Amino acid sequence: MLLLVLGVFGYFYTVLPVYQKSLLDEEIAQKALEIKAQEKRIADLNAQIQTKVADLNDKDRQITLARSNERNAQTLAKSAKAEAEDNYRKLRIEYLLSALAIFRNCPSPFYKKVIDGSELSSCTEHATSKASYYLSNLSQNDAQHFKIFLKKKVDASDTKFHVLLDDYRQKIAVAQSDIESLEKQSSELKAGSGSSQIKPLNYFSESLELSFKLQSALQAETNTRAESNRRFRKILEEISKEMTSAF
């Protein structure tokens, strides 16, 4: 019986932490792959921009050479303008999607020690600041429209965010209260382990029970943070979809 107890005890203090660390390492590796994919996308977009810029420069040179013939010059100018507008329309959506990808990656508040409730609103500033390169390549009207519309959509979702925040605070408070209580009980049990009133078998049994409860409380805290983060990402995704439809 004692070997079984020690085996279970060892599982929760050796195997389970290693397993949880491997899950965390896997998540980090996945995020790294996403970042590399985004970096490749940005590099490809920059290459397209350079190519289009070179094409437009070539058109400008052609227009200069054709000025001796007014009719040809006007035709060429209209063609170049139409091509430029067509290129802008094609690249415009890429700029907007890249800016929204940055918005969706806004830092989650549910892994912070202190949450003040302004985190969703801060995502607007986060997006416009980090995506300044993409917004600067849009027309002034499009860039301004993007900023105004994004703020409007974020403000409209603020109530949903605060409902999520209230639910998170209630659940995390319960989990943390349980953790503190169990840690206190564990400390008190350990402090009295040398007492003749506590038999070794009873001590190991109670200690194991407390360990199980503490692990459950810690897992409940982790699950609460993960689920709240998932719901937060869903809010950002919904806003992003509405923005994409609007543009």
Side-chain angles (χ1 to χ4, degrees):
M1 179 62 181
L2 182 57
L3 288 176
L4 177 60
V5 170
L6 291 175
V8 174
F9 188 79
Y11 169 78
F12 277 94
Y13 282 91
T14 57
V15 177
L16 185 57
V18 170
Y19 173 70
Q20 291 176 333
K21 182 178 182 303
S22 67
L23 290 179
L24 182 58
D25 289 341
E26 184 179 13
E27 182 178 355
I28 291 172
Q30 181 63 33
K31 290 295 181 182
L33 289 175
E34 292 177 5
I35 290 172
K36 287 182 178 179
Q38 183 66 19
E39 289 176 346
K40 184 179 183 301
R41 181 184 180 84
I42 291 172
D44 291 342
L45 183 59
N46 286 336
Q48 291 180 38
I49 293 171
Q50 294 299 322
T51 300
K52 295 303 179 183
V53 168
D55 289 343
L56 290 176
N57 289 336
D58 184 60
K59 291 296 182 182
D60 286 338
R61 287 191 293 271
Q62 292 179 41
I63 291 172
T64 300
L65 294 174
R67 286 194 182 278
S68 58
N69 188 323
E70 184 177 354
R71 179 180 296 178
N72 290 340
Q74 289 177 350
T75 301
L76 189 57
K78 289 180 181 179
S79 177
K81 182 179 179 182
E83 184 177 354
E85 290 174 349
D86 184 57
N87 288 337
Y88 176 76
R89 283 193 295 271
K90 291 176 181 178
L91 291 175
R92 174 177 177 270
I93 189 61
E94 295 296 334
Y95 292 134
L96 292 171
L97 290 176
S98 295
L100 289 174
I102 292 174
F103 169 74
R104 290 194 301 274
N105 284 327
C106 182
S108 170
F110 297 105
Y111 293 100
K112 295 167 52 179
K113 290 184 178 179
V114 178
I115 304 176
D116 59 23
S118 66
E119 287 77 13
L120 179 60
S121 297
S122 297
C123 287
T124 304
E125 182 179 352
H126 169 82
T128 54
S129 174
K130 297 292 185 181
S132 59
Y133 169 79
Y134 303 110
L135 298 180
S136 67
N137 283 282
L138 295 174
S139 69
Q140 185 176 0
N141 182 61
D142 279 343
Q144 191 67 16
H145 187 200
F146 176 87
K147 294 175 184 178
I148 293 173
F149 199 65
L150 178 60
K151 185 178 185 306
K152 180 180 177 181
K153 289 299 180 182
V154 167
D155 289 345
S157 299
D158 199 52
T159 298
K160 184 184 293 185
F161 171 66
H162 276 83
V163 169
L164 166 60
L165 187 56
D166 289 342
D167 181 60
Y168 166 79
R169 283 171 171 160
Q170 291 175 12
K171 291 180 179 178
I172 210 71
V174 171
Q176 290 178 346
S177 176
D178 289 344
I179 290 170
E180 290 177 5
S181 176
L182 290 166
E183 287 178 340
K184 182 179 179 181
Q185 292 178 51
S186 181
S187 297
E188 291 174 350
L189 179 64
K190 186 178 294 185
S193 61
S195 172
S196 59
Q197 297 179 352
I198 300 179
K199 296 180 180 180
L201 186 58
N202 290 339
Y203 169 76
F204 282 112
S205 177
E206 291 180 25
S207 178
L208 183 59
E209 182 179 0
L210 285 174
S211 295
F212 273 118
K213 291 180 178 179
L214 181 58
Q215 287 297 323
S216 296
L218 289 169
Q219 189 61 50
E221 180 185 35
T222 298
N223 291 345
T224 296
R225 293 184 188 278
E227 174 61 17
S228 298
N229 179 64
R230 185 193 66 78
R231 291 170 62 186
F232 177 70
R233 294 296 170 200
K234 185 177 179 181
I235 292 174
L236 298 182
E237 186 67 33
E238 289 172 352
I239 293 173
S240 182
K241 286 182 180 179
E242 291 177 1
M243 290 288 295
T244 303
S245 299
F247 279 86

